Each structure stands twice: as structure tokens, then as C-alpha cells.
Amino acid sequence: MDANKMRQQIVKLHLGMAQTTITELAESIGYSRSAVSNVLAGRRRSAEIEAAVAERTGFRVEDLWSVADSGKKGDMNR
């Protein structure tokens, strides 16, 4: 399993334990579900989405997203 898929599964598990969904998280921060899913899948980067995911799951951003990937893909807009 690659790192992006593993991150998706870990985040989904922890969101479930917090009794929330990706859709609810997206709505609470003003992004679409697809924008959040794209960040979780590693297809896009968004500091705001990454920070919200980390906060909601109890992880640090750097634990979920590699610093080496930070310049890899464009930052998402709302």
C-alpha cells in the first residue's frame, strides 16, 4: 500500500472515531468534499485542508504529509 492510500485510510478511521465524515469536515472548513479527497489522496496540496485534517484527527500535519512533497503540487483554492 502506498503512502497516499495509507494516509487516506488512517484519516478515514480517525474521522470515524471522531464521529465525522470527509463531507462534514469539508463543509466545516468551506471546501468541497472532492477538494478534501484530492488532498488526502496526494493529488493536490492545501495547507488549510491539511491543518484541518490534522486537527480533527489529532495528528501533526508533518506526520500525515511529507515535507518533501510540499512543493510538489499546486495549492488548492476554495
Side-chain angles (χ1 to χ4, degrees):
M1 180 179 296
D2 73 11
N4 290 327
K5 193 69 167 170
M6 188 177 304
R7 177 181 46 245
Q8 283 180 294
Q9 296 304 314
I10 289 169
V11 168
K12 284 182 183 179
L13 173 67
H14 284 268
L15 286 175
M17 291 177 1
Q19 297 183 335
T20 193
T21 65
I22 292 173
T23 301
E24 291 167 339
L25 171 65
E27 290 172 355
S28 74
I29 60 174
Y31 282 89
S32 67
R33 182 193 190 292
S34 63
V36 173
S37 292
N38 281 328
V39 171
L40 291 177
R43 290 186 289 270
R44 300 296 298 255
R45 295 296 307 250
S46 167
E48 189 173 358
I49 292 173
E50 291 171 9
V53 168
E55 180 182 331
R56 195 69 61 95
T57 58
F59 288 99
R60 297 179 310 162
V61 171
E62 52 273 8
D63 291 337
L64 293 171
W65 285 274
S66 167
V67 175
D69 291 337
S70 63
K72 184 169 120 181
K73 297 184 179 150
D75 197 37
M76 301 252 345
N77 295 322
R78 287 179 195 240

